């Protein structure tokens, strides 16, 4: 007889259980691979989904297929077509253009504009913690673009056009300034 025990927290299992198990660690699924599986699932549900929307779902799931399918399922409840705006609405995240505008305001040290943008988000019903997470990920991507250049497209699984935009925007801030901003948003 064989029992299969699956957990995301093996450190919580008692030593008496772990000593009697064979352990197999599984890594995160790449976003591009997840995107393909999500497309199959959407087509199976007879729904239309844009590639950008599926990539947003895959990135939000952070390598977990079960999480990706759960997010897709939430999106399926809204209608026949799944696009990036719908995924952002379901996730409560900010769109990339808003994040680029926000980081440009930070780069130009336009405090009033930054505060106004945060106020706009909060009045729009966005969760400040999700926004802080979005900004942290955006600043991290800008820092990586500054440090590794065009390789960011492969590392962060993004298009060449998106990588070029991150590289261009990353040039506006010094490495130390990006690190400082990233520290401030991570601490929140």
């Amino acid at each position: 007889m064989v029992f299969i025990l699956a957990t995301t927290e093996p450190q919580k299992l008692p030593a008496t259980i772990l000593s009697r198990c064979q352990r197999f660690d599984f890594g995160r699924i790449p976003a591009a691979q997840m995107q393909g599986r999500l497309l199959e699932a959407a087509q199976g549900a007879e729904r239309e989904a844009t590639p950008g929307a599926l990539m947003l779902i895959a990135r939000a799931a952070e390598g977990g297929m079960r999480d990706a399918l759960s997010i897709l399922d939430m999106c399926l409840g809204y209608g026949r077509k799944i696009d990036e705006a719908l995924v952002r609405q379901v996730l409560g995240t900010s769109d990339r253009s808003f994040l680029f505008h926000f980081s440009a305001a930070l780069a130009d040290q336009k405090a009033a504009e930054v505060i106004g943008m945060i106020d706009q988000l909060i009045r729009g019903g966005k969760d400040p913690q999700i926004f802080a997470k979005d900004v942290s990920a955006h600043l991290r991507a800008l820092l990586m673009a500054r440090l590794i250049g065009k390789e960011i497209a492969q590392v962060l699984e993004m298009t060449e056009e998106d990588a070029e935009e991150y590289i261009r925007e990353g040039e506006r801030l010094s490495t130390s300034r990006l690190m400082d901003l990233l520290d401030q948003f991570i601490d929140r």
Side-chain angles (χ1 to χ4, degrees), residues 11-171:
Q11 70 278 4
K12 290 187 176 180
L13 294 174
T16 54
I17 301 292
L18 288 174
S19 67
R20 292 168 175 83
C21 294
Q22 265 188 331
R23 183 172 170 166
F24 298 95
D25 291 321
F26 297 98
R28 301 238 172 240
I29 301 169
Q33 187 177 350
M34 235 191 258
Q35 184 183 22
R37 178 63 188 103
L38 289 169
L39 178 60
E40 290 174 14
Q43 289 171 340
E46 298 178 355
R47 301 290 168 74
E48 190 180 331
T50 65
L54 297 177
M55 185 54 82
L56 278 175
I57 293 171
R59 286 186 187 144
E62 298 177 345
M65 194 69 223
R66 180 183 58 200
D67 294 339
L69 290 170
S70 294
I71 296 167
L72 177 64
D73 191 44
M74 287 188 280
C75 293
L76 291 174
Y78 282 88
R80 301 214 48 84
K81 179 155 172 89
I82 301 166
D83 60 12
E84 293 176 43
L86 175 62
V87 174
R88 283 192 183 92
Q89 177 187 345
V90 167
L91 294 173
T93 60
S94 303
D95 71 351
R96 198 176 67 236
S97 63
F98 185 89
L99 292 170
F100 275 110
H101 187 93
F102 187 78
S103 63
L106 287 173
D108 297 337
Q109 298 183 0
K110 295 181 179 177
E113 190 173 340
V114 168
I115 291 169
M117 291 177 78
I118 292 170
D119 182 58
Q120 174 188 347
L121 278 172
I122 292 172
R123 288 179 190 269
K126 301 284 185 192
D127 185 337
Q129 288 181 325
I130 292 174
F131 176 64
K133 181 180 175 184
D134 290 345
V135 172
S136 296
H138 182 72
L139 292 171
R140 177 180 173 267
L142 290 173
L143 179 62
M144 290 179 69
R146 186 159 177 77
L147 296 174
I148 64 174
K150 291 200 181 268
E151 290 179 36
I152 189 173
Q154 292 174 334
V155 173
L156 294 182
E157 299 180 18
M158 63 176 58
T159 66
E160 293 294 327
E161 296 83 23
D162 288 348
E164 287 173 13
E165 191 173 5
Y166 275 101
I167 291 167
R168 214 173 21 256
E169 188 68 31
E171 295 296 322

